Each structure stands twice: as C-alpha cells, then as structure tokens.
Amino acid sequence: MTARVGIVVRTRQRPDFLRRALDDIAAQTFSDRRVVVVNDGGDPGEVDCVVSEAGVDAEIVHITPGQGGRCVAANAGVRVVGTEFVALHDDDDRWHPEFLARTVAWLDAHPGDAAVSTATEIVYEEDRGGRWVEVGRAPFWAGMQRISLSEMFSVNRAVPISVLYRTAVHGEVGWYDESLEAVEDWDFYLRILARAGFGYVAGEPLAYWTQRPDATGIAANSMFALADAHVRDDALVRDRALEQWTRREGEGLPLYLAALQDRLIVRLDERAREHAERLRAEIRDDVRREIDAHQPLWSRLRRWRRGIGRR
C-alpha cells in the first residue's frame, strides 16, 4: 500500500542540514510516510552518501545543475511521492515529533480543509566554530488562531515547514509556479484559500522555521538571500491577480482604489506634519516654562560669568 504522507526534502549542497532534516523526520511519531529527497543541482554523490547513512528510508531525485530552483524542486518531489498528503520539509527546518500525527489527525477530522498549518516558532542560529547553534527563539505570528484569505492577501501567514496538505489539491489549483523564484508557497496558499478550507493547529509550536540572518552563500536563508526576488515576485503575483480582475470586471474599481490610496497617503502625511508641529510647540512651551521658573538662577549665573570675565 502507498504511504499516507509524502515528505519532500529540498536540498542543495548542504549535507549537514540534510543530515539533520532526515534525523528530524526519523523522530516523527507518525511512521506511515514516504520520503523523497530532491537534490537541486548539488553533488549527487554527497547526497547519496548522506541518505544512505540516515536513519530513515528515502528516495532521491537528482536535478541537473541549472535546471532546478525552489519551485522545480518542490514540483519534482510532489510528483514522485504519490501520497494522500504531502509536506515540504526544507533541509534546514525542523518539526516537533508530533507534527505529522497532529496535522494528519486534523485533516482526517476536517474533510473540507485542503491544508492545515500549525503554530510555528522561529529558531535563530549562528555559526559557532563551524557548527550552526541555536541562539534564540521567537513566535511566528504570535497569538494567531487561524489562516484566512483576507489576512493572507496582506502577507504570508504560513511557511512550508508548518503546512501539510492534500496532494489532490494540485489537480484543482495547479502546481508551484515555476516562473517564480520566491514566494511560491504564498502564491500556492492563496490559490488553496480561494477554493477550500485551510486549517490551523494553535497552541504549542509544532514547526520550527530556522533563520540565520548573518549567513551568506549556500548557508543563507532564502528570505535573506533572495530578498530582492521576494519583493519582485510579491509584486508579480499581485499584478497578475489585478490583471485578471481587470480583464473580467473592468478598470473602474482599481482606478478608484488607487486614487483613494493616494489621497489617504497625502492625508497621513498632513496629519504627521501637524502632529510634529504640535510636538515642537509643546517642547518650546515646556522649555520656556523651565527657563521662567529658574530665571533667578539664570540671572545669578550670568552675573557670575561676567565677573569671571573681568578677572
């Protein structure tokens, strides 16, 4: 029988991270899984060696250098697993041991949800003597209780390590967009939310999104290393959606909203200037009151300074 959960591990020239990711998967309490490691243009022999030594069975898909990328790697892995559910476990991220058990239970209990995310913790790491060591943690969207389309319009509220979804949803919303270099997960989640439920397991963090703000080169996080691509592709996704709306509904509402936005920005600038002027006036008044209250002292100080000058 086919395993219920497929786990796609995207990796590229990071054997230590890959080794840690496979150990992380091996620690899951849910064992009905199939693991596919997608080597995105790295050394095949290096990846083969790490996988052969891992404590979990895993298949490997090798992508030729120059022909991959984040989306290509994700799609290649998902197409291979052929399971009921699928999760992307990038090589540098981690899970709570109960992540799969609890997300599978959620989707079993909520058939109307195409995907589910969990409370997530950001884990900060630094290079200490050639080893990446945890130096701090912070909640990702502290207090969040749901995944909603309206909030997702503003900014991504989930990261791949926190999401398990039904593989069949690709047949409804399409695959990861290989024209994007970044934000492919956000774009995919928007398409899911437009058609189906997206559950959320609140409470204890079950996913750990590692970040290395100071890292460069191959060890860097995509959100830092691909910062310019994030900005560009974010705008591309929004512009494509606006173009689709305009073709269907016309230009009226977007034109009105653009003008309204400009007027709001002007008004905010005016209010900021008015507020700054009020603060300056209040400071001047406070200074004058202090000077008046201590006028005798200032007079004695001036007389003393004049006396010093005559000596």
Side-chain angles (χ1 to χ4, degrees), residues 8-19 21 37-44 46-47 50-51 60-73 89-92 181 212 216-221 225-226:
V8 176
V9 183
R10 296 182 288 189
T11 190
R12 181 173 180 266
Q13 297 179 356
R14 305 201 294 193
D16 291 338
F17 285 147
L18 176 58
R19 190 173 293 108
V37 174
V38 181
N39 172 28
D40 187 12
D43 178 3
E46 183 178 68
V47 173
V50 172
V51 171
I60 306 172
V61 174
H62 294 294
I63 296 178
T64 303
Q67 297 183 7
R70 294 172 56 81
C71 299
V72 172
H89 189 310
D90 287 334
D91 60 9
D92 58 341
E181 188 177 356
R212 298 169 298 282
T216 58
I218 203 66
N221 293 98
L226 299 177

Side-chain angles (χ1 to χ4, degrees), residues 31-310:
S31 60
D32 190 9
R33 63 197 179 222
R34 181 183 183 188
V35 182
V36 173
V37 174
V38 181
N39 172 28
D40 187 12
D43 178 3
E46 183 178 68
V47 173
D48 291 346
C49 181
V50 172
V51 171
S52 68
E53 297 172 351
V56 59
D57 291 333
E59 302 163 59
I60 306 172
V61 174
H62 294 294
I63 296 178
T64 303
Q67 297 183 7
R70 294 172 56 81
C71 299
V72 172
N75 287 335
V78 175
R79 287 188 172 103
V80 167
V81 290
T83 51
E84 180 181 0
F85 306 124
V86 67
L88 299 185
H89 189 310
D90 287 334
D91 60 9
D92 58 341
D93 294 327
R94 288 180 282 160
W95 280 332
H96 184 286
E98 291 288 321
F99 175 85
L100 288 179
R102 294 177 62 179
T103 51
V104 168
W106 178 282
L107 291 178
D108 283 343
H110 300 82
D113 287 348
V116 60
S117 180
T118 74
T120 303
E121 204 164 37
I122 300 171
V123 178
Y124 296 103
E125 296 182 327
E126 288 183 0
D127 186 352
R128 301 282 177 84
R131 293 179 59 251
W132 288 101
V133 177
E134 179 181 327
V135 295
R137 294 192 176 204
F140 178 63
W141 294 112
M144 190 169 73
Q145 297 296 313
R146 63 175 190 159
I147 298 289
S148 74
L149 181 58
S150 60
E151 292 169 334
M152 195 69 79
F153 277 150
S154 175
V155 65
N156 197 356
R157 296 296 183 109
V159 286
I161 194 62
S162 74
V163 175
L164 180 76
Y165 64 91
R166 301 183 194 277
T167 312
V169 78
H170 283 291
E172 301 175 28
V173 307
W175 295 88
Y176 292 102
D177 185 349
E178 296 182 5
S179 71
L180 300 174
E181 188 177 356
V183 309
E184 76 285 349
D185 50 333
W186 175 60
D187 172 67
F188 180 55
Y189 302 154
L190 284 172
R191 285 182 270 141
I192 291 177
L193 280 161
R195 294 167 175 82
F198 202 126
Y200 186 73
V201 180
E204 178 187 15
L206 300 178
Y208 309 119
W209 180 27
T210 63
Q211 293 188 13
R212 298 169 298 282
D214 298 328
T216 58
I218 203 66
N221 293 98
S222 63
M223 69 170 295
F224 301 113
L226 299 177
D228 292 341
H230 275 267
V231 173
R232 181 194 65 233
D233 288 352
D234 181 283
L236 176 62
V237 171
R238 295 180 191 278
D239 284 347
R240 286 192 314 205
L242 181 60
E243 180 184 357
Q244 292 171 4
W245 165 275
T246 302
R247 283 202 305 266
R248 186 176 64 251
E249 306 292 343
E251 300 173 351
L253 182 59
L255 283 173
Y256 173 77
L257 292 177
L260 179 61
Q261 174 182 271
D262 289 341
R263 287 197 293 271
L264 288 173
I265 291 173
V266 170
R267 182 56 183 152
L268 286 173
D269 287 343
E270 291 173 350
R271 293 187 65 180
R273 287 194 295 270
E274 292 170 358
H275 183 62
E277 185 55 40
R278 283 198 301 271
L279 285 177
R280 283 194 291 268
E282 291 173 2
I283 292 171
R284 286 196 300 268
D285 291 343
D286 289 343
V287 170
R288 289 194 189 100
R289 281 193 294 270
E290 288 295 318
I291 292 175
D292 292 343
H294 297 88
Q295 191 62 43
L297 176 62
W298 286 109
S299 298
R300 288 196 299 272
L301 180 60
R302 283 196 296 270
R303 287 196 299 271
W304 177 78
R305 291 181 63 187
R306 284 198 296 270
I308 291 295
R310 287 196 294 271

